[in-house]
Amino acid sequence: QVQLVESGGGSVQAGGSLRLSCAASGVAYNQYCMGWFRQAPGKGREGVAVITSRGSTRYTDSVKGRFTISKDSAKNTLHLQMNNLKPEDTAMYYCAARYSGGLCVGLYIGTAEYNYWGQGTQVTVSS
């Protein structure tokens, strides 16, 4: 059974940093694609950053150069380092996993591509 538990959210001022973590159980990183998504109030859920089994990454344009996705396969933990945060980054952030059956090689950033979701962690950035 796959379980994803996010942590690390909070409230920061613009320009600040946060590091999100996702503890994954029931997930073998060499068989799953992993990603971070977010949903702002009144908006749909969008892909933020995704990572393949071999560590290739893809980011949505609005976070390029500010956010970094990484994973610690030994600890089954996914991270999202967020620097230079902006008020428009305010959202609930979700960790997600997509079963690939083998090595994940695709950089899927659409929400419909993912099978498993965490409960989310809130990030609030004030100006």
Side-chain angles (χ1 to χ4, degrees), residues 50-101:
V50 297
I51 189 166
T52 67
S53 297
R54 289 184 171 146
S56 296
T57 58
R58 178 182 176 182
Y59 299 89
T60 192
D61 286 346
S62 63
V63 308
K64 286 180 181 177
R66 300 188 297 122
F67 290 13
T68 303
I69 187 172
S70 62
K71 60 180 179 177
D72 184 337
S73 298
K75 296 182 179 179
N76 259 18
T77 304
L78 185 72
H79 298 289
L80 184 69
Q81 178 66 43
M82 306 186 295
N83 298 328
N84 191 20
L85 282 159
K86 302 178 180 180
E88 51 264 42
D89 295 317
T90 295
M92 184 71 78
Y93 282 71
Y94 298 90
C95 172
R98 167 194 165 95
Y99 179 65
S100 59

Coordinates of all heavy atoms in Angstrom, one line a residue, residues 50-101:
V50 N 8.9 17.4 -11.2 CA 8.9 15.9 -11.3 C 10.3 15.4 -11.5 O 11.2 16.1 -11.9 CB 7.9 15.4 -12.4 CG1 6.5 15.9 -12.1 CG2 8.4 15.9 -13.7
I51 N 10.5 14.1 -11.1 CA 11.8 13.5 -11.2 C 11.7 12.1 -11.6 O 10.7 11.4 -11.2 CB 12.5 13.7 -9.8 CG1 14.0 13.2 -9.9 CG2 11.8 12.9 -8.7 CD1 14.8 13.7 -8.7
T52 N 12.6 11.6 -12.4 CA 12.6 10.2 -12.9 C 13.4 9.3 -12.0 O 14.1 9.8 -11.0 CB 13.1 10.1 -14.3 OG1 14.5 10.5 -14.3 CG2 12.4 11.1 -15.2
S53 N 13.4 8.1 -12.3 CA 14.2 7.1 -11.5 C 15.7 7.5 -11.5 O 16.4 7.3 -10.5 CB 14.0 5.7 -12.0 OG 12.7 5.3 -11.9
R54 N 16.2 8.0 -12.6 CA 17.6 8.3 -12.7 C 17.9 9.7 -12.4 O 19.1 10.2 -12.6 CB 18.1 7.9 -14.1 CG 18.1 6.4 -14.3 CD 18.7 6.0 -15.6 NE 18.9 4.6 -15.7 CZ 18.8 3.9 -16.8 NH1 18.4 4.4 -17.9 NH2 19.0 2.6 -16.8
G55 N 16.9 10.5 -11.9 CA 17.2 11.8 -11.4 C 17.0 12.9 -12.4 O 17.3 14.1 -12.1
S56 N 16.5 12.6 -13.6 CA 16.1 13.7 -14.5 C 15.0 14.5 -13.9 O 14.1 13.9 -13.3 CB 15.8 13.2 -15.9 OG 16.9 12.6 -16.5
T57 N 15.0 15.8 -14.2 CA 13.9 16.7 -13.6 C 13.3 17.6 -14.6 O 13.8 17.8 -15.7 CB 14.5 17.6 -12.5 OG1 15.6 18.4 -13.0 CG2 15.1 16.7 -11.3
R58 N 12.1 18.0 -14.2 CA 11.3 18.9 -15.1 C 10.6 19.9 -14.1 O 10.0 19.4 -13.1 CB 10.4 18.2 -16.0 CG 9.5 19.1 -16.8 CD 8.5 18.3 -17.7 NE 7.6 19.1 -18.4 CZ 6.6 18.6 -19.2 NH1 6.5 17.3 -19.3 NH2 5.9 19.4 -19.9
Y59 N 10.5 21.2 -14.5 CA 9.9 22.2 -13.6 C 8.9 23.0 -14.5 O 9.1 23.2 -15.6 CB 10.9 23.1 -13.1 CG 11.9 22.5 -12.2 CD1 13.1 22.0 -12.7 CD2 11.7 22.3 -10.8 CE1 14.1 21.3 -11.9 CE2 12.7 21.7 -10.0 CZ 13.8 21.2 -10.5 OH 14.8 20.6 -9.7
T60 N 7.8 23.4 -13.8 CA 7.0 24.4 -14.5 C 7.7 25.7 -14.6 O 8.6 26.0 -13.7 CB 5.7 24.6 -13.7 OG1 4.7 25.3 -14.5 CG2 5.9 25.3 -12.4
D61 N 7.4 26.5 -15.6 CA 8.2 27.7 -15.9 C 8.3 28.7 -14.7 O 9.4 29.3 -14.5 CB 7.7 28.4 -17.1 CG 7.9 27.7 -18.4 OD1 8.8 26.7 -18.4 OD2 7.3 28.0 -19.4
S62 N 7.3 28.8 -14.0 CA 7.2 29.8 -12.9 C 8.2 29.6 -11.8 O 8.4 30.5 -11.0 CB 5.8 30.0 -12.4 OG 5.3 28.8 -11.8
V63 N 8.7 28.3 -11.6 CA 9.6 28.0 -10.5 C 11.0 27.7 -10.9 O 11.9 27.5 -10.1 CB 9.0 26.8 -9.7 CG1 7.6 27.1 -9.3 CG2 9.2 25.5 -10.4
K64 N 11.2 27.7 -12.2 CA 12.6 27.4 -12.7 C 13.6 28.4 -12.1 O 13.4 29.6 -12.1 CB 12.6 27.5 -14.2 CG 12.0 26.3 -14.9 CD 12.0 26.4 -16.4 CE 11.3 25.2 -17.1 NZ 11.3 25.4 -18.6
G65 N 14.7 27.8 -11.6 CA 15.8 28.6 -11.0 C 15.5 29.0 -9.6 O 16.4 29.5 -8.9
R66 N 14.4 28.6 -9.0 CA 14.1 28.9 -7.6 C 13.8 27.6 -6.8 O 14.1 27.5 -5.6 CB 12.8 29.8 -7.5 CG 13.0 31.1 -8.2 CD 11.8 32.1 -7.9 NE 10.5 31.6 -8.4 CZ 9.5 31.3 -7.6 NH1 9.5 31.5 -6.3 NH2 8.3 30.9 -8.1
F67 N 13.2 26.6 -7.5 CA 12.9 25.4 -6.8 C 13.8 24.3 -7.3 O 14.2 24.2 -8.5 CB 11.4 25.0 -7.1 CG 10.4 25.9 -6.4 CD1 10.7 27.1 -5.8 CD2 9.0 25.4 -6.4 CE1 9.7 27.9 -5.3 CE2 8.0 26.2 -5.8 CZ 8.4 27.4 -5.3
T68 N 14.1 23.3 -6.4 CA 14.8 22.1 -6.7 C 14.2 20.9 -6.2 O 14.0 20.8 -4.9 CB 16.3 22.2 -6.2 OG1 16.9 23.4 -6.7 CG2 17.1 21.0 -6.7
I69 N 13.9 19.9 -7.0 CA 13.4 18.6 -6.6 C 14.5 17.7 -6.4 O 15.5 17.7 -7.2 CB 12.3 18.1 -7.5 CG1 11.6 16.9 -7.0 CG2 12.9 17.9 -8.9 CD1 10.4 16.4 -7.8
S70 N 14.5 16.8 -5.4 CA 15.5 15.8 -5.2 C 14.9 14.6 -4.4 O 13.8 14.7 -3.9 CB 16.7 16.4 -4.4 OG 16.3 16.8 -3.1
K71 N 15.6 13.5 -4.4 CA 15.1 12.4 -3.7 C 16.2 11.7 -3.0 O 17.4 11.7 -3.5 CB 14.4 11.4 -4.7 CG 15.2 10.9 -5.8 CD 14.4 9.9 -6.7 CE 15.3 9.4 -7.8 NZ 14.5 8.4 -8.7
D72 N 15.9 11.0 -1.9 CA 16.9 10.2 -1.2 C 16.3 8.8 -1.2 O 15.4 8.5 -0.4 CB 17.0 10.7 0.3 CG 18.0 9.9 1.0 OD1 18.3 8.8 0.7 OD2 18.5 10.5 2.0
S73 N 16.7 8.0 -2.2 CA 16.2 6.7 -2.4 C 16.4 5.8 -1.2 O 15.5 4.9 -0.8 CB 16.7 6.0 -3.6 OG 16.4 6.8 -4.8
A74 N 17.5 5.9 -0.5 CA 17.8 5.1 0.7 C 16.8 5.3 1.8 O 16.4 4.4 2.5 CB 19.2 5.4 1.2
K75 N 16.3 6.6 1.9 CA 15.4 6.9 3.0 C 13.9 7.0 2.4 O 13.0 7.4 3.2 CB 15.8 8.3 3.6 CG 17.1 8.2 4.3 CD 17.4 9.6 5.0 CE 18.7 9.5 5.8 NZ 19.0 10.8 6.4
N76 N 13.7 6.7 1.1 CA 12.4 6.9 0.5 C 11.8 8.2 0.8 O 10.6 8.3 1.2 CB 11.5 5.7 1.0 CG 11.4 4.6 0.0 OD1 12.2 4.5 -0.9 ND2 10.4 3.8 0.1
T77 N 12.5 9.3 0.6 CA 12.1 10.6 0.8 C 12.3 11.5 -0.4 O 13.3 11.4 -1.0 CB 12.8 11.2 2.0 OG1 12.6 10.4 3.2 CG2 12.2 12.6 2.4
L78 N 11.3 12.3 -0.7 CA 11.3 13.2 -1.8 C 11.3 14.6 -1.2 O 10.7 14.9 -0.1 CB 10.0 13.1 -2.7 CG 9.9 13.9 -3.9 CD1 10.9 13.4 -5.0 CD2 8.5 13.9 -4.4
H79 N 12.1 15.5 -1.8 CA 12.2 16.9 -1.2 C 11.9 17.9 -2.3 O 12.0 17.6 -3.5 CB 13.7 17.1 -0.7 CG 14.1 16.2 0.4 ND1 13.6 16.3 1.6 CD2 14.9 15.2 0.4 CE1 14.1 15.4 2.4 NE2 14.9 14.7 1.7
L80 N 11.5 19.1 -1.8 CA 11.4 20.2 -2.7 C 12.0 21.4 -2.0 O 11.4 21.9 -1.0 CB 9.9 20.5 -3.1 CG 9.7 21.6 -4.1 CD1 10.3 21.2 -5.5 CD2 8.2 22.0 -4.3
Q81 N 13.1 21.9 -2.4 CA 13.8 23.1 -1.9 C 13.2 24.3 -2.6 O 13.3 24.4 -3.9 CB 15.3 23.0 -2.0 CG 16.0 24.2 -1.5 CD 15.9 24.4 0.0 OE1 16.0 23.4 0.7 NE2 15.6 25.6 0.4
M82 N 12.6 25.2 -1.9 CA 12.0 26.4 -2.5 C 12.7 27.6 -2.0 O 12.6 27.9 -0.8 CB 10.5 26.4 -2.1 CG 9.8 25.1 -2.5 SD 8.0 25.2 -2.2 CE 7.9 25.4 -0.5
N83 N 13.3 28.3 -2.9 CA 14.0 29.6 -2.6 C 13.4 30.8 -3.2 O 12.6 30.6 -4.2 CB 15.5 29.5 -3.0 CG 16.3 28.4 -2.3 OD1 16.0 28.0 -1.1 ND2 17.2 27.8 -3.0
N84 N 13.7 31.9 -2.7 CA 13.1 33.2 -3.3 C 11.6 33.0 -3.5 O 11.1 33.3 -4.6 CB 13.8 33.5 -4.6 CG 13.5 34.9 -5.1 OD1 13.1 35.8 -4.4 ND2 13.7 35.1 -6.4
L85 N 10.9 32.7 -2.5 CA 9.5 32.4 -2.6 C 8.8 33.7 -2.8 O 9.2 34.8 -2.4 CB 9.0 31.8 -1.3 CG 9.3 30.3 -1.2 CD1 9.2 29.8 0.2 CD2 8.3 29.5 -2.1
K86 N 7.7 33.6 -3.6 CA 6.9 34.8 -4.0 C 5.4 34.5 -3.5 O 5.0 33.4 -3.3 CB 6.8 34.9 -5.5 CG 8.2 35.0 -6.1 CD 8.2 35.1 -7.6 CE 9.5 35.3 -8.2 NZ 9.5 35.4 -9.7
P87 N 4.7 35.6 -3.3 CA 3.3 35.4 -2.8 C 2.5 34.5 -3.7 O 1.6 33.8 -3.3 CB 2.7 36.9 -2.9 CG 3.9 37.7 -2.6 CD 5.1 37.0 -3.3
E88 N 2.8 34.5 -5.0 CA 2.0 33.6 -6.0 C 2.4 32.1 -5.8 O 1.7 31.3 -6.4 CB 2.2 34.1 -7.4 CG 3.7 34.2 -7.8 CD 4.2 35.7 -7.7 OE1 3.8 36.4 -6.7 OE2 4.9 36.1 -8.6
D89 N 3.4 31.8 -5.0 CA 3.7 30.4 -4.6 C 2.8 29.9 -3.5 O 2.8 28.7 -3.2 CB 5.1 30.3 -4.2 CG 6.1 30.6 -5.3 OD1 5.9 30.2 -6.5 OD2 7.1 31.3 -5.0
T90 N 2.0 30.8 -2.9 CA 1.0 30.3 -1.9 C 0.1 29.3 -2.4 O -0.6 29.5 -3.4 CB 0.3 31.5 -1.3 OG1 1.2 32.4 -0.7 CG2 -0.8 31.1 -0.3
A91 N 0.1 28.1 -1.8 CA -0.8 27.0 -2.2 C -0.6 25.9 -1.2 O 0.2 25.8 -0.4 CB -0.4 26.6 -3.6
M92 N -1.5 24.9 -1.4 CA -1.3 23.6 -0.8 C -0.4 22.8 -1.7 O -0.7 22.7 -2.9 CB -2.7 22.9 -0.6 CG -2.6 21.6 0.2 SD -2.2 21.8 1.9 CE -3.8 22.3 2.5
Y93 N 0.6 22.2 -1.2 CA 1.6 21.4 -2.0 C 1.4 19.9 -1.7 O 1.3 19.5 -0.5 CB 3.0 21.9 -1.6 CG 3.4 23.2 -2.3 CD1 2.8 24.4 -1.9 CD2 4.3 23.2 -3.4 CE1 3.1 25.6 -2.5 CE2 4.6 24.4 -4.0 CZ 4.0 25.6 -3.6 OH 4.3 26.8 -4.2
Y94 N 1.4 19.2 -2.8 CA 1.1 17.7 -2.7 C 2.3 17.0 -3.3 O 2.8 17.3 -4.3 CB -0.2 17.4 -3.5 CG -1.4 18.0 -2.9 CD1 -1.8 19.2 -3.4 CD2 -2.2 17.4 -2.0 CE1 -3.0 19.8 -2.9 CE2 -3.3 17.9 -1.5 CZ -3.7 19.2 -2.0 OH -4.9 19.7 -1.5
C95 N 2.6 15.9 -2.7 CA 3.5 14.9 -3.2 C 2.7 13.8 -4.0 O 1.6 13.5 -3.5 CB 4.3 14.2 -2.0 SG 5.3 12.9 -2.5
A96 N 3.2 13.3 -5.1 CA 2.5 12.4 -5.9 C 3.4 11.3 -6.4 O 4.6 11.6 -6.7 CB 1.7 13.0 -7.0
A97 N 2.9 10.1 -6.7 CA 3.6 9.0 -7.2 C 2.9 8.4 -8.4 O 1.6 8.3 -8.4 CB 3.9 8.0 -6.2
R98 N 3.6 8.0 -9.4 CA 3.0 7.3 -10.6 C 3.7 6.0 -10.8 O 5.0 6.0 -10.9 CB 3.2 8.2 -11.8 CG 2.9 7.5 -13.1 CD 3.4 8.3 -14.3 NE 3.5 7.5 -15.5 CZ 2.6 7.4 -16.5 NH1 1.5 8.1 -16.3 NH2 2.7 6.7 -17.5
Y99 N 3.0 4.9 -10.7 CA 3.6 3.6 -10.9 C 4.0 3.4 -12.4 O 3.2 3.6 -13.3 CB 2.6 2.5 -10.5 CG 3.2 1.1 -10.6 CD1 4.3 0.7 -9.9 CD2 2.6 0.2 -11.5 CE1 4.8 -0.6 -10.0 CE2 3.1 -1.1 -11.7 CZ 4.2 -1.5 -10.9 OH 4.7 -2.7 -11.1
S100 N 5.3 3.0 -12.6 CA 5.7 2.9 -13.9 C 6.0 1.4 -14.3 O 6.3 1.1 -15.5 CB 7.0 3.7 -14.2 OG 8.0 3.3 -13.3
G101 N 6.1 0.6 -13.3 CA 6.3 -0.9 -13.5 C 7.7 -1.2 -13.8 O 8.1 -2.4 -13.7

